[in-house]
Amino acid sequence: MSRSGSGPEAPASEGDDPATTFRASEHQHIRYNPLQDEWVLVSAHRMKRPWQGQVEPVLMKTVPRHDPLNPLCPGATRANGEVNPNYDGTFLFDNDFPALQPDAPDPGPSDHPLFQAGAARGVCKVMCFHPWSDVTLPLMSVPEIRAVVDAWASVTEELGAQYPWVQIFENKGAMMGCSNPHPHCQVWASSFLPDIAQREERSQQAYHRQYGEPLLLEYGHQELLRKERLVLTSEHWLVLVPFWAMWPFQTLLLPRRHVRRLPELTPAERDDLASIMKKLLTKYDNLFETSFPYSMGWHGAPTGVEAGTACDHWQLHAHYYPPLLRSATVRKFMVGYEMLAQAQRDLTPEQAAERLRALPEVHYCLAQRDKEAAAIA
């Protein structure tokens, strides 16, 4: 891992001429991601090209507030025959089609190093955020979002007592593979550390060993000083577009103090988290005046490690990965070069942060409703 950010030697180009002034928004370059020990190619000048690729359909479908045939709704019958309670807040239940099960057999030893398999056990749960299908997190109240935060912390603590990794993630929108519009997320707890968690473990541990402080805590301090990529700040939290962002409007949500896992958050930090999440997700929706699709997830210290110096290199954080690039109908595809070489993005993180920062914190749907009400009055 290189703190200096020096990458592999590149061939001579226009950017090597001392007479040419480098501009990140005009000249391609690579940036290092110290958290996952990888590089991303930034080619912001590509945004000037006319778009002739795929255009997504505009989704105008009205989602009913309650559909008895929707298996996530209160009182609905799920695929396994179980009937949901008439819940009025969050609702956590076992995934009816889990990718991980607690009692899967061990595949046994491998007979060749090129054909290795290992045991994979765990549990998968689904968490509904709200009883209504026609709301999303930015349209929920801060107290309702705070209840979601508390549920996240509780399930992390519960499953973390049995499994070393608890992955909370939300896929929002059909573009991100979500087949049900009801506001919900998933929780997968596993007997192993997934690949990305392992990379973050190694990178944060190496940085802490060399510099004596958590990587992401120092990174947050540096972003506060530089102010180029900040989107939102509050008493306890930061939202920023990472220097190494891959996705067009990717953001990183960080606590200001050293926090290893969700259950460690104080009541004040949880209140503040609910508030800043609502502001961020409102900005996302306001960007293209659509219900903004994304995949997000929380990363914290492995839960099988006792509190103390063994996991002090970890800093709790949430990743938001939205695919929309130019409009509500043009997305960024991670294919071709991204799949065969390395990640590539089409606008700089600084440009993305500036656009998000400038957006209002009142949801466009509510602003439109108030405008229409004022016109009638």
Side-chain angles (χ1 to χ4, degrees), residues 155-170:
V155 73
T156 299
E157 194 164 36
E158 174 195 342
L159 296 179
Q162 301 172 266
Y163 297 99
W165 189 255
V166 180
Q167 182 62 66
I168 296 170
F169 64 96
E170 178 194 4

Side-chain angles (χ1 to χ4, degrees), residues 20-274:
T20 302
T21 302
F22 172 79
R23 294 189 303 278
S25 61
E26 294 293 331
H27 302 123
Q28 72 272 6
H29 59 285
I30 56 175
R31 298 191 184 196
Y32 181 60
N33 178 347
L35 184 60
Q36 296 183 15
D37 191 22
E38 60 188 16
W39 293 82
V40 58
L41 171 63
V42 182
S43 314
H45 57 280
R46 279 168 52 87
M47 287 292 282
K48 297 176 182 177
R49 76 193 193 281
W51 182 255
Q52 296 179 327
Q54 178 171 320
V55 176
E56 306 294 329
V58 178
L59 299 178
M60 303 298 290
K61 179 182 176 183
T62 300
V63 177
R65 177 155 293 182
H66 182 272
D67 179 359
L69 298 180
N70 185 330
L72 299 186
C73 281
T77 302
R78 302 203 309 276
N80 63 357
E82 291 188 19
V83 178
N84 295 335
N86 289 310
Y87 64 92
D88 58 5
T90 60
F91 172 48
L92 182 72
F93 62 93
D94 290 336
N95 193 317
D96 297 328
F97 303 97
L100 294 163
Q101 296 176 327
D103 53 0
D106 193 317
S110 170
D111 63 354
H112 193 282
L114 296 180
F115 299 91
Q116 297 186 53
R121 301 183 180 92
V123 296
C124 298
K125 294 181 178 288
V126 176
M127 181 188 296
C128 296
F129 298 151
H130 197 279
W132 296 350
S133 294
D134 61 342
V135 300
T136 55
L137 280 169
L139 294 172
M140 289 166 54
S141 68
V142 171
E144 287 171 335
I145 301 173
R146 164 65 194 270
V148 173
V149 171
D150 287 339
W152 282 341
S154 179
V155 73
T156 299
E157 194 164 36
E158 174 195 342
L159 296 179
Q162 301 172 266
Y163 297 99
W165 189 255
V166 180
Q167 182 62 66
I168 296 170
F169 64 96
E170 178 194 4
N171 294 324
K172 178 173 177 267
M175 201 178 292
M176 300 309 292
C178 182
S179 60
N180 194 313
H182 195 91
H184 70 286
C185 72
Q186 298 190 52
V187 186
W188 292 14
S190 61
S191 61
F192 56 91
L193 240 58
D195 282 354
I196 292 175
Q198 288 190 45
R199 289 204 295 271
E200 291 196 358
E201 164 69 18
R202 288 193 297 267
S203 296
Q204 290 179 99
Q205 194 170 55
Y207 188 94
H208 192 268
R209 189 182 301 117
Q210 185 171 0
Y211 300 108
E213 57 190 342
L215 184 159
L216 285 178
L217 191 63
E218 169 62 12
Y219 177 66
H221 291 161
Q222 288 296 320
E223 289 289 16
L224 273 171
L225 292 172
R226 297 164 190 253
K227 297 181 171 58
E228 295 175 282
R229 288 166 291 273
L230 292 175
V231 176
L232 289 162
T233 61
S234 66
E235 182 180 357
H236 300 288
W237 294 89
L238 307 175
V239 176
L240 53 92
V241 178
F243 175 77
W244 55 81
M246 282 194 310
W247 293 93
F249 294 96
Q250 176 180 336
T251 54
L252 185 65
L253 176 57
L254 290 169
R256 284 181 178 248
R257 74 172 178 96
H258 186 201
V259 181
R260 291 168 295 221
R261 306 182 185 97
L262 276 165
E264 297 176 14
L265 295 175
T266 66
E269 287 169 333
R270 296 183 188 201
D271 285 341
D272 200 27
L273 174 56

